[in-house]
Amino acid sequence: MFYLVGLGLYDEKDVTLRGHEIIKSCTRVYLESYTSILMVDKNRLEDFYGRAIIVADRDMVETDSDAILEGAKEKDVALLVVGDPFGATTHTDIILRARSLSIPTQVIHNASVMNAIGACGLQLYNFGQTVSIPFWTENWRPVSWLGRIRENFELGLHTLVLLDIKVKEQSEENLARGRRIYEPPRFMTPTIALRQILEAITKPSMEEDSAPRA
């Protein structure tokens, strides 16, 4: 069986009772480490769950998922995900991959920012499209997210904005040269996000430049 287990939002104790029991019973346990992060390190998770944890980076989850799924027809394997398992399309993809290999699957849900945002006092029913703002680079400055924010605003809806994180990422040069040299982790702050939003608003040409060409 392949299990996709949501861990919640804060630390090792946010896992559900069902999720905890499943993790303890699995032969192999992976922790997806690039779409979001917990506030504790891997050692804390291993001590609490009583299992060794294999960190699964972007390359493993997106291009080598068969290594995670290996043997899951005969043994129990879990992939741990911060928040809820279906908060990122990557996790949907690995479930579909497992099912295409006739591997039985089970998903254990948990809290995610998509519902916890209600803690700020805004009603969930009044949120529109969620957007993600990536770090800009010198040669890549997408602003497609700005149109979604505008659409929500015009409809009187709030916008949940997810901020970029960079964990085990390569620079453009190292990626182009095939060098496995990784940049230090980076986490977008609200200040950086607001700076990019303001620049995108005050420079309409950026939206035109980012529009797809016919």
Side-chain angles (χ1 to χ4, degrees):
M1 176 78 76
F2 174 66
Y3 293 97
L4 200 54
V5 181
L7 296 182
L9 296 172
Y10 185 64
D11 63 17
E12 72 276 17
K13 295 181 181 179
D14 280 1
V15 70
T16 64
L17 180 59
R18 182 186 300 277
H20 193 193
E21 291 173 345
I22 286 171
I23 293 169
K24 292 177 69 173
S25 70
C26 283
T27 303
R28 295 197 318 279
V29 179
Y30 295 87
L31 173 65
E32 188 268 278
S33 65
Y34 75 92
T35 59
S36 189
I37 57 170
L38 282 179
M39 302 304 293
V40 296
D41 61 24
K42 180 174 76 97
N43 293 335
R44 281 268 295 272
L45 299 180
E46 290 178 330
D47 290 343
F48 187 76
Y49 301 145
R51 280 289 178 273
I53 292 177
I54 304 166
V55 175
D57 60 15
R58 179 190 294 271
D59 287 343
M60 174 174 279
V61 176
E62 293 188 350
T63 65
D64 196 22
S65 60
D66 284 355
I68 296 175
L69 298 172
E70 184 178 357
K73 284 184 181 180
E74 298 80 27
K75 300 177 181 179
D76 290 337
V77 176
L79 176 63
L80 312 184
V81 177
V82 178
D84 186 79
F86 289 143
T89 54
T90 296
H91 310 134
T92 303
D93 290 342
I94 197 168
I95 282 287
L96 294 175
R97 176 60 177 161
R99 291 175 180 172
S100 73
L101 296 172
S102 300
I103 296 172
T105 63
Q106 186 173 339
V107 177
I108 311 300
H109 294 282
N110 208 320
S112 84
V113 69
M114 304 295 283
N115 51 40
I117 190 62
C120 71
L122 302 176
Q123 294 295 318
L124 296 179
Y125 293 105
N126 292 329
F127 276 84
Q129 304 171 78
T130 298
V131 303
S132 298
I133 297 184
F135 279 110
W136 281 348
T137 67
E138 185 177 347
N139 302 314
W140 187 68
R141 294 190 158 203
V143 293
S144 57
W145 42 266
L146 182 58
R148 305 292 182 271
I149 294 176
R150 276 208 182 99
E151 290 172 9
N152 288 343
F153 180 77
E154 291 168 357
L155 292 170
L157 300 174
H158 311 304
T159 303
L160 173 60
V161 179
L162 307 179
L163 306 186
D164 199 7
I165 67 173
K166 297 291 187 184
V167 180
K168 200 177 178 182
E169 298 277 343
Q170 295 171 275
S171 68
E172 292 179 359
E173 180 183 352
N174 287 329
L175 186 62
R177 294 178 179 274
R179 297 186 298 215
R180 289 187 170 271
I181 301 174
Y182 300 98
E183 301 294 298
R186 289 192 298 153
F187 306 92
M188 181 179 286
T189 63
T191 300
I192 295 173
L194 286 169
R195 188 180 299 132
Q196 292 186 185
I197 291 172
L198 289 173
E199 186 171 345
I201 290 172
T202 56
K203 294 183 179 179
S205 61
M206 293 184 66
E207 289 190 81
E208 297 172 6
D209 291 343
S210 68
R213 305 298 181 187

